[in-house]
Amino acid sequence: MSASTSSCEVTLDNVAEILKNDTKVKLAGVDVDGQLRGKLISKKKFLSIAADGFGFCSVIFGWDMHDRTYFKELAISNKENGYQDLVAVPDLSSFRRIPWENDVPFFLVSFFDPETKEPVCACPRGLLKTALSKVEAAGYRAMAGAEYEFYQFRAPGDYPTPERNASATAAFLQKNPVEALPALTEGMFGYSLTRPIHNQDYYYGIFDACEQFNCEIEGWHTESGPGVFEAALQFGEAKEMADKAGLFKYVVKSIGAKHGITPAFMAKPREGLPGNSGHMHISLVTEDGKNAFLRPTPDPSPPYPDVAHLSDLGRHFLAGILTGLPDIMPLFAPTINSYKRLVENFWAPVTVSWGLEHRAASIRLITPPTASAKATRFEVRVPGADANPHFVLAAIVALGWRGVEKKLEIPVPPLSKGEDMGGASDQGIRLAKTLKEATVAFMRKDSVAREVFGDKFVDHFGGTREHEVHLWEEAVTDWEVRRYIETV
């Protein structure tokens, strides 16, 4: 914990003492798009609801990322139930102070049904908790690490706002084409030591704020692309990593706003350039801290040489992810734009594929002899930076554990070294090319998604993705107008 965040455990018994010098508290929950939705309340109000929660309008699960109600009403928030309140219960273990907002206390909340008191089916924190419960009941803990790439833009100087904040970008784009928006820095400068100096206060400000806000960065550098940074968050328990990943975006956007910079976590902001990945690393450990994916002694006759050091549990977990991957794609690639990243020849996975230290595959296996034994894990490379980290980890854990329970076998051989996806040795099926295709697979009656997450969640989240597709199919793009306005 940082100096600005209490290192003691927060409980109902001591929370009033911890907040004794405060007058207000900020609360936030996570919606299906991974956005934080919350409010500032008085300390008196917070202390009165800390135990049992408070009413929070269910509309945050009834509208999209721009507060537009879904074209068809879904189960959680609708006319029939009067757009009722949900019960939002603060998670006291999530306590932080926001360093860039004068150390105001901050807590995450989870959402519960007011009648059944069960977690709301679409609550991202609740879905992950449910997925992890099976793993934990079997005596394991899931560990995770997240990596995010993101572009950054700054509106030209003749589009200032009174505070010269990132909203200038939105104002600029109202009257200018997207390609006219300047990147924070130009050129391809991956791993540059000098490029961050161009925006030194911003660059170091993010690193320091993440440390203080308990979503610590392990590695922080420029990535190949104009104005692109990449952050690897500090490895930890999966149930905390999802929160930290979401809060990392909150830090970046907040610090960016103070510098007039717009960070873009969308999957493919620029045509012809690499997209923004949101790779997730996963492993299981036993109660005594041993890596459960590691095989104590190498298998002398493995089904594939790549898994010689991978335990039986690890093999089944890998098989579970590979088998279920096509059916949960909207959780890894949730927007129309997501599928512009998942194309051939851009180091982005496009098939059900895996391989030892294979960075072109959907799942990169990391084991000895190329990695240390304690670092044995899977890197799931399909998700983009636009994906909701709670849903990503919930899907990985749920699919992997399904593989363990069913003792599934790895469905395809590994990609050969030097072999790209889609090549002669790639026997994996092609992943969905569009959100519409992915959503159809996700929502079909016999999908793996329904098996591991249940109908309520699939119907709700699938409905939100149908909404995205509906809006896209009605949209007229700049590309269409430029191409056809004079020629047809």
Side-chain angles (χ1 to χ4, degrees):
M1 293 286 194
S2 69
S4 63
T5 301
S6 173
S7 59
C8 67
E9 181 182 358
V10 181
T11 66
L12 290 173
D13 293 330
N14 67 12
V15 65
E17 175 64 20
I18 288 172
L19 302 179
K20 65 181 179 180
N21 296 322
D22 297 292
T23 60
K24 51 192 173 292
V25 175
K26 183 167 277 193
L27 302 172
V30 186
D31 72 8
V32 297
D33 292 299
Q35 294 189 110
L36 293 174
R37 302 277 191 170
K39 61 177 70 176
L40 188 71
I41 65 174
S42 69
K43 179 177 73 173
K44 180 179 179 181
K45 172 69 173 177
F46 174 78
L47 293 177
S48 74
I49 56 88
D52 299 321
F54 64 102
F56 201 119
C57 184
S58 62
V59 75
I60 64 167
F61 292 105
W63 61 23
D64 66 15
M65 64 185 72
H66 288 284
D67 295 2
R68 181 170 177 174
T69 54
Y70 297 124
F71 76 93
K72 68 176 184 181
E73 291 198 321
L74 303 174
I76 296 174
S77 183
N78 52 56
K79 291 179 182 178
E80 187 175 338
N81 66 25
Y83 305 101
Q84 66 182 0
D85 275 358
L86 304 174
V87 178
V89 179
D91 178 355
L92 298 185
S93 71
S94 70
F95 171 61
R96 293 158 166 81
R97 291 184 179 275
I98 306 177
W100 61 91
E101 292 185 28
N102 300 317
D103 280 343
V104 63
F106 176 91
F107 294 86
L108 288 166
V109 304
S110 294
F111 297 104
F112 296 85
D113 185 282
E115 296 179 5
T116 67
K117 309 304 179 186
E118 294 295 317
V120 170
C121 69
C123 175
R125 300 186 84 232
L127 192 77
L128 176 57
K129 184 177 180 180
T130 299
L132 289 169
S133 64
K134 288 187 176 182
V135 174
E136 292 168 352
Y140 298 99
R141 289 181 297 130
M143 308 298 289
E147 300 175 359
Y148 287 106
E149 299 167 341
F150 56 101
Y151 282 66
Q152 291 145 111
F153 301 96
R154 191 199 299 274
D158 56 350
Y159 274 84
T161 62
E163 301 83 14
R164 189 65 187 108
N165 62 30
S167 294
T169 300
F172 176 81
L173 291 177
Q174 288 178 1
K175 297 183 179 180
N176 296 275
V178 170
E179 58 266 27
L181 184 64
L184 183 62
T185 57
E186 292 298 334
M188 310 290 275
F189 288 92
Y191 298 98
S192 172
L193 294 185
T194 58
R195 221 59 179 173
I197 297 173
H198 295 198
N199 299 277
Q200 181 172 318
D201 291 344
Y202 170 66
Y203 182 77
Y204 284 97
I206 290 174
F207 187 94
D208 293 340
C210 285
E211 180 75 22
Q212 295 161 2
F213 200 50
N214 191 22
C215 54
E216 298 89 340
I217 294 175
E218 192 172 85
W220 184 222
H221 62 88
T222 61
E223 186 49 274
S224 184
V228 182
F229 288 171
E230 179 175 1
L233 303 187
Q234 188 168 297
F235 192 73
E237 291 210 30
K239 58 186 175 183
E240 297 175 354
M241 180 53 59
D243 286 344
K244 290 182 178 183
L247 294 175
F248 166 73
K249 291 184 180 181
Y250 175 47
V251 173
V252 172
K253 292 176 181 179
S254 298
I255 302 301
K258 289 180 176 290
H259 289 269
I261 294 168
T262 299
F265 288 91
M266 64 184 293
K268 188 83 164 184
R270 290 295 202 210
E271 177 185 349
L273 291 171
N276 288 329
S277 66
H279 299 161
M280 196 69 74
H281 296 249
I282 190 75
S283 63
L284 299 185
V285 297
T286 59
E287 291 179 340
D288 58 359
K290 293 181 180 178
N291 192 313
F293 286 171
L294 176 68
R295 200 173 200 87
T297 56
D299 187 345
S301 56
Y304 307 107
D306 295 48
V307 298
H309 293 266
L310 190 63
S311 68
D312 288 347
L313 182 143
R315 294 175 185 179
H316 294 319
F317 198 97
L318 173 61
I321 301 175
L322 291 168
T323 302
L325 181 57
D327 284 1
I328 55 83
M329 280 298 291
L331 299 174
F332 285 180
T335 73
I336 296 295
N337 181 254
S338 301
Y339 298 83
K340 300 296 178 70
R341 167 182 164 262
L342 299 176
V343 295
E344 288 79 0
N345 302 320
F346 272 105
W347 271 34
V350 297
T351 63
V352 174
S353 53
W354 67 282
L356 180 65
E357 286 295 350
H358 207 308
R359 279 186 162 88
S362 290
I363 301 177
R364 172 186 165 219
L365 177 58
I366 303 170
T367 74
T370 56
S372 68
K374 64 180 181 180
T376 298
R377 64 193 189 276
F378 304 130
E379 180 188 27
V380 184
R381 297 176 60 82
V382 180
D386 56 344
N388 183 327
H390 292 85
F391 287 165
V392 169
L393 274 170
I396 293 171
V397 171
L399 294 182
W401 196 249
R402 175 178 179 266
V404 173
E405 289 183 324
K406 292 180 175 291
K407 292 183 166 47
L408 297 180
E409 297 298 326
I410 297 171
V412 291
L415 285 183
S416 302
K417 291 292 185 291
E419 179 74 29
D420 290 330
M421 289 168 296
S425 68
D426 185 357
Q427 298 179 32
I429 65 172
R430 180 59 161 86
L431 298 174
K433 293 185 176 183
T434 66
L435 181 59
K436 184 173 185 177
E437 180 186 342
T439 302
V440 169
F442 179 74
M443 297 187 73
R444 77 175 196 277
K445 289 184 178 180
D446 59 346
S447 78
V448 175
R450 290 191 182 276
E451 180 183 337
V452 297
F453 292 127
D455 290 334
K456 287 184 178 180
F457 172 74
V458 171
D459 288 341
H460 185 277
F461 186 69
T464 71
R465 297 311 95 186
E466 288 178 330
H467 173 82
E468 287 293 303
V469 173
H470 177 77
L471 294 179
W472 169 245
E473 290 180 338
E474 288 187 338
V476 177
T477 67
D478 289 356
W479 183 91
E480 293 169 274
V481 175
R482 288 171 180 162
R483 185 164 184 85
Y484 303 125
I485 193 167
E486 287 187 297
T487 57
V488 296

